[in-house]
Amino acid sequence: ASPPSSCPPSPLWALPEELLLLICSYLDAQALGRLGQVCRRLRFLSSRDLLWRRIARGCLNSGFTQLGTDLASGIPVKERVKVSQNWRHGRCRRATVLKWKCKQVAPFSSTFLMPWMELDGEYLYLSQAESIQAYRLCPDGSGLQRHPQAIFSGHQEDVCRFVLVNSHIVSGGGDGNIVLHKIHGSYSVKFSAHEQEVNCVDFQGGLIVSGSRDRTAKVWSLSVGRVGQCLHTVQTEDRVWSIAISPLL
């Protein structure tokens, strides 16, 4: 006998979506992941943020506060849970995506500044000496394109740290300067910030905060007419290695 022309519809799809979501809400992360491999329709259903919020609140660094506030609403909750679980269990793919030769600055010198990097969409931003270079990820996921798509410069010494916020790059360098670049444009600002290297920076709205080896943390204005003006200085007992503006503000 010849096979039937079409399979009978599953009685599962006769249930309303609210009931299907209720059933799925009893599944853990592993079961939801396996359910999404059955068919496209179940993959779409099992990927709903509503199902993953409960699981995400029990994961490390998944973007939810203790009160349940979502700090990363633009990223699917399922993806955040996957990254958190991979981080927790140490699962990763070891691969060299980019390498370059470096030479010692002075004889018998073995001190090199490690590059700082941030991934933003299809680009990897990487500090190399006194500049920041943007490399595009290969479409097949095999690595990075060989040549940078853009180069952001402005420091006379190595870039110590940079941050990407709202299509802007703010960097601190060993020359004590802070440089701000607009990624998709020619706009840039540079000003002297500290007496020694700027170890850390953060940027939000019209403010930049920075910390330095000179044992100070400073707040800078970027408002019109006050660009590069120091609004506040905090004296510390030691060099400042890390600084950040609260994302809840």
Side-chain angles (χ1 to χ4, degrees):
S2 60
S5 58
S6 61
C7 298
S10 171
L12 181 67
W13 302 120
L15 299 176
E17 182 176 333
E18 293 79 5
L19 188 55
L20 290 174
L21 291 174
L22 177 61
I23 295 173
C24 293
S25 67
Y26 290 95
L27 303 179
D28 58 13
Q30 187 179 31
L32 278 175
R34 290 176 175 175
L35 183 65
Q37 297 177 353
V38 175
C39 64
R40 292 182 180 179
R41 194 168 181 181
L42 284 176
R43 181 180 181 182
F44 174 77
L45 181 71
S46 62
S47 299
R48 299 282 293 273
D49 285 353
L50 181 65
L51 298 175
W52 290 91
R53 287 180 182 273
R54 172 183 55 84
I55 301 173
R57 290 172 184 171
C59 295
L60 175 68
N61 196 23
S62 61
F64 288 92
T65 65
Q66 294 181 350
L67 299 178
T69 304
D70 191 351
L71 303 178
S73 56
I75 305 176
V77 183
K78 177 182 177 181
E79 295 301 317
R80 287 184 259 166
V81 172
K82 184 170 67 173
V83 171
S84 176
Q85 294 294 326
N86 290 341
W87 178 274
R88 178 182 177 184
H89 297 289
R91 292 191 293 261
C92 63
R93 184 181 66 179
R94 298 183 179 274
T96 302
V97 295
L98 187 68
K99 62 181 179 180
W100 66 93
K101 295 181 180 179
C102 58
K103 58 182 179 180
Q104 296 179 348
V105 178
F108 309 108
S109 173
S110 59
T111 301
F112 299 102
L113 192 63
M114 290 294 292
W116 187 256
M117 62 184 70
E118 289 200 23
L119 183 64
D120 183 38
E122 299 178 350
Y123 291 90
L124 177 68
Y125 293 84
L126 178 72
S127 64
Q128 293 182 255
E130 68 278 358
S131 64
I132 301 169
Q133 303 185 13
Y135 291 87
R136 189 180 181 90
L137 276 66
C138 296
D140 57 0
S142 60
L144 304 175
Q145 293 184 355
R146 186 172 182 179
H147 301 287
Q149 296 289 314
I151 299 177
F152 305 92
S153 57
H155 291 282
Q156 276 72 49
E157 296 186 25
D158 287 359
V159 175
C160 299
R161 188 69 59 89
F162 69 88
V163 62
L164 274 70
V165 180
N166 297 332
S167 300
H168 290 81
I169 299 179
V170 177
S171 60
D175 53 5
N177 294 329
I178 291 177
V179 179
L180 180 143
H181 293 282
K182 191 168 183 177
I183 297 178
H184 305 292
S186 58
Y187 175 78
S188 64
V189 174
K190 175 182 176 181
F191 56 89
S192 178
H194 293 271
E195 297 179 358
Q196 293 180 285
E197 58 261 35
V198 182
N199 293 324
C200 49
V201 291
D202 197 11
F203 168 58
Q204 184 172 318
L207 293 177
I208 293 177
V209 292
S210 61
S212 172
R213 187 185 181 92
D214 64 6
R215 301 184 179 186
T216 63
K218 296 184 179 182
V219 182
W220 306 90
S221 172
L222 284 179
S223 59
V224 179
R226 304 178 66 185
V227 176
Q229 178 180 347
C230 183
L231 302 178
H232 190 62
T233 300
V234 179
Q235 295 289 338
T236 62
E237 297 181 358
D238 201 352
R239 67 190 69 177
V240 184
W241 287 110
S242 179
I243 197 167
I245 301 175
S246 171
L248 299 179
L249 297 178

